[in-house]
């Protein structure tokens, strides 16, 4: 069978940096691996690269038997639009939807134009589905999949996504465009699922489990060695958990003389547990660690279940920087802040001096306890998918008007993104062309904030 895999374009009006900073579509690369193993022909259309691509033209030329579409929360409208285009072109083409949004809320895609929705992906359920589509298996419940033929009813247990080595060949024509925070071309590698930290605001451990499922590090290094990209983003929730695994990682890189630059997520506790290893990781290419600081006061860190203190945040920053590793810090903007709290955050950032800083308003994801806590204060319902983008303010502020709150967020964005320390780091480490893209992208981001402040700056009803 011929399968066309599609990553949708991004809505330009939403508050997200994904309009100008995005990596390879790892999930559909993994799907491609299995489809090819089963003997199917696969073509990928990445609409984040081909922004003006015609779906109809691809359907006309490639003539797929099946179209698979990946999704994030903000993609729902565009996914359904693509499914509609496909069915109007040829109603016999099978349409399947997967991705993060399908995992979280499969009912987002229970549509007459969608035949199957993947809540989880494994080799087995992909094989079962393809047999059903080919007519060699009768329509019946498949673990992890909702079927329109069965009225999208599936009451069985759902498994976690299976680890599958991604098919980098299917994205070959796009790979030079993929980047992460301006580092380009950049590949993405995942070495483990799950997270031990269980932060109250985070949904990843809910989706992947609260214990680690790790892939053998030699298999990971095999993948890295085969990559052409000089930069690699390791997208585990926390790559720095196990010391023995990190030592093996360094040993293999040194033995094979692999020279690449790596970015990864790490927790405060993981760094504190093994400070002496950080210099060796830096020598082997770890150039930046993303640390979720989240707050400037310890009481809020307890609320988030961060299991770290503000002093430990500062200590970790120094450990990384003294080891030659940049610290990219992230913060959460709380809806109960006053103007003075924004000032306190800026003072804390000046004390920490991380190389890069990101922030987002608190997102009460419906799969976390925060949703019940803030449901009566939501500005947008959870079905207003475009707004759940980690950029828009979702919760009515309690101590200032929404307009005044957005003004503080806008001021914070200006100071954070153009502070002298981060600008100097960006100029030194990121190519000028990509730095310009980032500046233009943040300009659009500011435009959305201004629009929100002026148009959506209404009082809570």
């Amino acid at each position: 069978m011929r399968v066309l895999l599609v990553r949708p374009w991004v809505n330009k009006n939403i508050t997200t940096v994904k309009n100008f900073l995005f990596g390879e579509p790892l999930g559909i690369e993994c799907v491609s691996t299995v489809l090819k193993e089963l003997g199917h022909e696969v073509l990928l259309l990445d609409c984040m690269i081909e922004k003006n691509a015609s779906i109809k033209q691809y359907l006309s030329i490639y003539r797929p038997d099946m179209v698979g579409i990946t999704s994030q929360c903000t993609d729902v409208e565009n996914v359904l639009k693509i499914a509609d285009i496909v069915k109007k072109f040829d109603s016999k083409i099978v349409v399947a939807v997967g991705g993060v949004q399908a995992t979280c809320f499969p009912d987002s895609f229970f549509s007459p134009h969608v035949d199957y929705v993947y809540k989880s992906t494994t080799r087995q359920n992909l094989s079962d589905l393809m047999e059903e589509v080919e007519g060699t298996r009768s329509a019946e419940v498949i673990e992890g999949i909702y079927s329109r033929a069965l009225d999208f009813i599936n009451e069985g247990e759902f498994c976690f996504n299976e680890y599958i080595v991604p098919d980098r060949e299917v994205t070959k024509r796009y790979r030079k465009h993929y980047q992460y925070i301006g580092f380009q071309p950049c590949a993405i590698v995942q070495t483990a699922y799950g997270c031990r930290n269980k932060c109250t605001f985070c949904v990843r451990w809910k989706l992947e489990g609260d214990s680690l499922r790790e892939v053998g590090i030699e298999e990971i290094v095999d993948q890295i060695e085969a990559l052409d990209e000089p930069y690699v983003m390791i997208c585990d929730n926390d790559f720095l958990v196990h010391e023995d695994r990190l030592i093996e990682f360094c040993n293999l890189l040194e033995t094979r003389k692999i020279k690449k630059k790596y970015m990864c997520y790490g927790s405060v506790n993981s760094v504190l547990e093994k400070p002496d290893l950080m210099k060796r990781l830096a020598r082997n290419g770890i150039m930046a660690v993303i640390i979720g600081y989240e707050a400037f006061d310890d009481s809020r860190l307890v609320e988030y279940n961060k299991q770290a203190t503000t002093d430990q945040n500062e200590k970790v920053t120094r450990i990384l920087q003294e080891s030659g590793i940049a610290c990219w810090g992230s913060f959460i903007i709380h809806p109960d802040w006053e103007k003075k709290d924004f000032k306190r955050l800026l003072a804390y950032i000046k004390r920490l001096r991380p190389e890069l800083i990101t922030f987002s308003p608190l997102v009460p994801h419906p799969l976390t306890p925060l949703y019940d806590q803030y449901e009566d204060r939501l500005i947008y319902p959870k079905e207003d998918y475009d707004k759940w983008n980690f950029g828009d303010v979702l919760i009515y502020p309690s101590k200032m008007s929404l307009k005044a709150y957005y003004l503080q967020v806008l001021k914070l964005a200006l100071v954070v993104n153009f502070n002298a320390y981060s600008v100097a780091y960006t100029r030194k480490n990121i190519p000028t062309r990509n730095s310009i893209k980032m500046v233009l992208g943040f300009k659009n981001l500011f435009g959305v904030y201004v629009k929100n402040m002026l148009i959506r700056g209404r009082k809570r009803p």
Side-chain angles (χ1 to χ4, degrees):
M1 293 182 63
R2 286 184 157 192
V3 182
L4 176 65
L5 299 177
V6 182
R7 175 159 72 169
W9 52 87
V10 175
N11 185 334
K12 295 181 179 179
N13 295 318
I14 65 174
T15 314
T16 175
V17 297
K18 289 186 180 297
N19 286 313
F20 59 97
L21 295 175
F22 49 86
E24 62 186 296
L26 203 62
I28 47 181
E29 287 177 332
C30 295
V31 170
S32 177
T33 293
V34 179
L35 291 176
K36 288 183 178 180
E37 288 174 353
L38 295 171
H40 303 289
E41 182 181 333
V42 182
L43 176 68
L44 169 67
L45 167 59
D46 191 339
C47 293
M48 291 184 76
I49 304 293
E50 293 190 55
K51 300 180 188 298
N52 299 315
S54 167
I55 304 295
K56 289 182 181 179
Q57 186 175 19
Y58 268 87
L59 295 173
S60 298
I61 295 173
Y62 188 61
R63 290 288 172 181
D65 303 293
M66 182 176 183
V67 172
I69 314 168
T70 190
S71 66
Q72 292 189 352
C73 179
T74 56
D75 295 330
V76 173
E77 181 182 344
N78 288 335
V79 168
L80 294 175
K81 186 182 297 183
I82 292 170
D84 180 53
I85 292 170
V86 172
K87 287 298 187 180
K88 285 179 178 177
F89 179 86
D90 185 347
S91 61
K92 294 179 182 178
I93 297 176
V94 175
V95 174
V97 177
V100 175
Q101 179 66 11
T103 298
C104 293
F105 301 106
D107 58 336
S108 306
F109 305 109
F110 291 176
S111 158
H113 306 300
V114 176
D115 298 293
Y116 299 97
V117 181
Y118 267 82
K119 186 174 177 65
S120 55
T121 304
T122 66
R123 280 187 164 84
Q124 187 60 58
N125 68 11
L126 271 170
S127 177
D128 291 344
L129 174 63
M130 298 312 290
E131 287 181 5
E132 183 175 310
V133 171
E134 291 178 299
T136 59
R137 171 192 171 103
S138 59
E140 57 186 56
V141 171
I142 301 174
E143 185 179 38
I145 300 176
Y146 293 92
S147 167
R148 183 161 57 87
L150 301 176
D151 297 320
F152 295 115
I153 296 172
N154 189 337
E155 298 176 352
E157 292 293 323
F158 288 97
C159 53
F160 290 124
N161 288 330
E162 180 180 345
Y163 185 86
I164 299 166
V165 177
D167 172 22
R168 315 281 181 178
E169 187 65 27
V170 78
T171 50
K172 185 175 181 179
R173 64 196 178 116
Y174 298 123
R175 297 196 67 80
K176 66 180 181 180
H177 298 287
Y178 296 136
Q179 60 176 290
Y180 196 87
I181 313 295
F183 293 94
Q184 180 183 6
C186 181
I188 296 180
V189 171
Q190 185 159 12
T191 83
Y193 289 115
C195 185
R196 65 178 182 172
N197 296 317
K198 296 186 284 188
C199 301
T200 58
F201 57 83
C202 182
V203 74
R204 278 191 70 172
W205 68 270
K206 289 276 190 178
L207 300 179
E208 299 178 8
D210 59 5
S211 60
L212 286 178
R213 292 175 288 133
E214 297 175 321
V215 180
I217 204 67
E218 186 167 3
E219 181 180 343
I220 297 301
V221 174
D222 287 344
Q223 290 183 49
I224 291 172
E225 190 172 25
L227 293 171
D228 293 327
E229 288 80 5
Y231 299 107
V232 179
M233 172 61 199
I234 301 174
C235 67
D236 304 4
N237 288 292
D238 184 356
F239 178 60
L240 306 178
V241 174
H242 291 133
E243 185 169 3
D244 290 347
R245 198 161 179 264
L246 294 173
I247 290 173
E248 184 183 1
F249 178 68
C250 291
N251 289 341
L252 289 167
L253 294 180
E254 291 165 1
T255 299
R256 300 188 191 184
K257 295 181 171 55
I258 298 173
K259 301 293 183 182
K260 294 185 183 294
K261 297 291 186 180
Y262 307 90
M263 299 150 274
C264 70
Y265 291 95
S267 69
V268 169
N269 288 325
S270 289
V271 177
L272 290 176
E273 289 163 1
K274 51 191 83 66
D276 295 337
L277 186 55
M278 295 301 116
K279 289 184 180 180
R280 189 178 180 195
L281 287 169
R283 289 196 300 272
N284 281 282
I286 299 289
M287 67 174 192
V289 174
I290 303 167
I291 297 288
Y293 297 122
E294 315 308 357
F296 58 79
D297 63 287
D298 291 336
S299 61
R300 196 70 74 188
L301 290 174
V302 171
E303 178 186 326
Y304 293 153
N305 195 34
K306 283 298 295 181
Q307 301 177 34
T309 66
T310 52
D311 287 342
Q312 287 175 325
N313 285 349
E314 188 170 0
K315 185 176 181 180
V316 161
T317 306
R318 301 296 164 253
I319 290 171
L320 291 173
Q321 292 174 336
E322 289 169 6
S323 301
I325 298 173
C327 187
W328 298 351
S330 64
F331 290 93
I332 293 173
I333 310 303
H334 201 277
D336 293 336
W337 278 8
E338 301 176 69
K339 184 185 291 188
K340 66 180 181 181
D341 292 308
F342 286 90
K343 292 180 179 179
R344 290 176 65 192
L345 174 60
L346 286 174
Y348 185 59
I349 288 173
K350 288 179 181 178
R351 198 172 96 204
L352 287 173
R353 286 173 63 89
E355 278 73 10
L356 291 177
I357 308 133
T358 60
F359 67 85
S360 67
L362 181 64
V363 175
H365 195 283
L367 296 184
T368 70
L370 292 179
Y371 185 80
D372 291 334
Q373 182 179 346
Y374 291 104
E375 186 176 9
D376 65 339
R377 290 173 57 185
L378 289 178
I379 299 172
Y380 307 103
K382 65 178 185 291
E383 294 81 14
D384 202 347
Y385 302 111
D386 283 357
K387 305 307 177 193
W388 292 72
N389 54 53
F390 294 91
D392 280 280
V393 176
L394 297 174
I395 304 169
Y396 279 105
S398 63
K399 297 180 180 177
M400 62 178 78
S401 70
L402 184 58
K403 184 175 182 178
Y405 190 84
Y406 259 122
L407 179 60
Q408 293 303 315
V409 173
L410 178 60
K411 289 179 178 179
L412 179 66
L414 288 167
V415 174
V416 160
N417 288 294
F418 296 105
N419 75 85
Y421 195 56
S422 294
V423 169
Y425 172 79
T426 301
R427 288 183 61 186
K428 180 180 178 181
N429 293 278
I430 297 177
T432 302
R433 181 175 56 124
N434 288 349
S435 296
I436 293 172
K437 282 184 182 179
M438 291 173 68
V439 170
L440 293 175
F442 283 122
K443 179 183 175 183
N444 293 336
L445 199 65
F446 296 147
V448 176
Y449 277 134
V450 171
K451 181 180 178 182
N452 286 345
M453 183 179 69
L454 297 178
I455 298 177
R456 301 185 184 120
R458 58 187 183 274
K459 294 181 179 180
R460 182 180 176 185

